[in-house]
Structures are given as C-alpha cells and as structure tokens.
Amino acid sequence: MASLPTLTKPISETSVFLPKLSNLEFSRSKIRPLTRFNVFKNSKFSSDGQCSPTFDVPLLSCSEVIERMRTSREGHNTKQLYLAMYSSVFGGITTDTAAMVIPMDDHMVHRGHGVFDTAAIMDGYLYELDQHLDRFLGSATMAKIQIPFKRESIRRILIRTVSVSKCRQGSLRYWLSAGPGDFQLSSSGCHQTTLYAIVIKDQSPPDHRGIRVVTSSIPIKPPQFAVMKSVNYLPNALSKMEAEENDAYAAIWLDGDGFVAEGPNMNVAFVTKEKELLMPCFDNILSGCTAKRVVVLAENLVKEGKLRGIRVENVSVEDAKRADEMMLIGSGVLVRSVVQWDEEVIGNGREDPVTQALLNLLLEDMKSGPPTVRVPVPY
C-alpha cells in the first residue's frame, strides 16, 4: 500500500483504495455500491502495491478453508511444533494444527481481554504447574474474567492435553478469555468465558551463553497491568524488538522511580560484590514463578558459602551495573548470564559461577525436585 506522503490525491480518488472507479455508477439519484464481485473480480495487487486486473478472491467452503490452513501449516518453517490443543469452544482436544484456531469475535483477539500462563514439561513432568495455575487464576480475577471451571477441573484438562500430545520435553501454554460473542468493547455480550491450552515442542537447541541487554525506551506497563499476565504483550513485543534491533537479547525496563524492573518476559537478578543475590521486588512487576523458585534454591548456595545472603528489594541502575554478575530468569530462558548492559560490561564479562550454579540447581529441581513442583503426566 502506498505510504501517506505518496497520496497526492484525495483518498476518494486514489486507486489504492478504489481499484476501478468505473465500477461505481454515478447518477443524480443514487450511487450503486461496490459488490463483493465487482470489487475483487479481475484485479490484483502487484509487487509495488498497485492494483492490476487479474486478481480474484475465492469464496471457500469450510472444508476448503481447513485444507488451505493445513497446507499453509505444512509449508511453514518453524522451530516450534504444536502437538495438541484444548478448546472449551469445541469442548475437547485436537492434534490437527489446522483446527487449532479460535473465533475472531473472541474478545481476547480483538480487545486483548484475556490472560495466560505457561508451565514447562520436563521428562514427562509438568514443572511448577500449581504455582503457575494459581497465578493464572489470580490474573483472571484481576482481569474480571469469570473462571468457567473449578480449579481442579482446569488442572485435569491441562494434564490431559499434555498426555494426549505425548510430549515429554516442551511447554504447556494456556489462556482464559472473556470469550466470543461480538465485536463490542465490553464483554457483557460474550456467551461464556473460554479456556484454551496448547502443547509446544521447541526444537531450538539449549543456549546458555552470556548475552547482552539494553535499557528499554518502551514505556513499562502501569503496575495494575504489569502484575497480571494478560495477553496485552504489545509493549513486551516492542521491547524485545528494540533489543534485537540493537544486537541485544532483551531490553530491561526501569520502573516509574528509575529502579530496575524486569525484562520483556523474564525477571532479572544480580550478584553483588559482597556475594549477595539481589532481585528487584515484585510489587510493581509480574511475580515470576521461576524467579521465586530460584530464590528458594539459592538458599543452598548460602549454606555452601557461595552466597552470603539473599535480598529482594528496590535495585538502582548504578548498583545493578556495578554487580559482579547479572542474570535473566524465567520459564523460557531459565537462568541466563548477562555479560553486558548497554555499554557497561558486567563483572568480568563472562558467564560467572553463581549464575551457573543457580542454573544447575534449577535444572536439577526440574528433573528431580519435590512433588510440590513436579506433576507427573500419565501418558
């Protein structure tokens, strides 16, 4: 499509918006409106965005749509495989990626009125499912989304979806939405709230090399929205894209008072020169389940003398950049060393021992931790 500066004529006279003005029959008494056929028949957009006369938009049957979606999926090169999906809209689980869809009038789609969470699948166990599920339901309450099932029913649905997928190494992501119903702003017209879940197998190899981060220029979410895990991730996506544009892995947010907050989808922590683990408090940011588990596991390093203590409090940028070690923590990234923030090198600029020790403790916990954090999946 032409950019705004190139539109030298009024919009009503611009071919980008009206490919064939002859399709309109003007008379003093009426204007015959464009129909589906005469708008799209025998016209197409060329590579420069202009309309040319050989394009047609077909009217497809339901079976044709599904087949085209299946073909599109087959031709899509991705490192992630979607192995199973549950939807309360159709009340069951599917393993056909062409059927892994949600209604367009679902308010999660067009209004962002939904919440989600994730649990890792490690060796046939769901890691911290209950901790993530509690946060998930709390987010739904804050978002004024009525929970459609009892907690135990949701838990069984999630475990069953993983079981059907036969995935033993991957992740489970799940959503609660205000539901389908209309395209209004309020959810009052929605039929009922909906639950979705999908099992994802990521084929990317693990990468624990040290990374670079930058300070985000994208405004952080206000605390009311930052503390819930809603689907409104546009600030997060823009922050991640900003980092990539600057050859960095992630962009770090500062809060309204200038203290270190979090990354786009992970928490951040530091090891001070006094060998204390320092983590920003969770008052105005998302309460990271993995980060809180790392705080518990870090007590082992205190007992071993590798850490002198653990503090969760406000962290200034100056103190953060003076730290011996910096790390990102999350269910996706696990524990990953940060070797540079903006132009400042962190510590000695290499992956450091405490960060590595915390990663090892977390991996061990995921593989052989107590029943409180590992839920077996009956395959």
Side-chain angles (χ1 to χ4, degrees), residues 155-287:
R155 189 177 188 270
R156 285 200 301 268
I157 289 169
L158 297 179
I159 295 172
R160 172 65 176 159
T161 305
V162 177
S163 176
V164 168
S165 77
K166 297 181 171 37
C167 180
R168 304 185 69 87
Q169 205 86 7
S171 62
L172 170 69
R173 184 163 296 185
Y174 40 98
W175 297 260
L176 270 174
S177 164
D182 54 35
F183 287 94
Q184 300 296 329
L185 183 60
S186 168
S187 61
S188 59
C190 295
H191 307 314
Q192 62 179 13
T193 55
T194 49
L195 173 68
Y196 305 104
I198 194 163
V199 179
I200 305 167
K201 182 176 179 61
D202 197 325
Q203 301 179 100
S204 303
D207 189 352
H208 302 302
R209 292 174 298 174
I211 53 177
R212 176 175 175 264
V213 299
V214 294
T215 302
S216 180
S217 67
I218 307 300
I220 191 173
K221 295 177 188 176
Q224 180 181 356
F225 300 103
V227 297
M228 76 171 82
K229 202 170 178 70
S230 78
V231 298
N232 183 3
Y233 257 44
L234 182 57
N236 309 64
L238 292 176
S239 179
K240 176 67 172 176
M241 292 171 68
E242 179 182 35
E244 293 171 345
E245 290 164 0
N246 288 278
D247 297 321
Y249 181 83
I252 304 302
W253 269 317
L254 308 181
D255 67 17
D257 295 319
F259 292 112
V260 179
E262 59 184 344
N265 62 342
M266 69 283 286
N267 293 99
V268 60
F270 308 88
V271 178
T272 68
K273 295 189 181 302
E274 294 74 32
K275 296 302 175 187
E276 291 182 307
L277 180 66
L278 182 60
M279 190 176 293
C281 56
F282 300 110
D283 294 347
N284 298 319
I285 61 174
L286 188 68
S287 180

Side-chain angles (χ1 to χ4, degrees), residues 358-379:
L358 289 173
L359 173 61
N360 292 339
L361 284 170
L362 182 61
L363 288 171
E364 181 183 352
D365 197 51
M366 296 175 78
K367 293 178 180 180
S368 58
T372 53
V373 296
R374 296 176 77 240
V375 176
V377 177
Y379 293 97

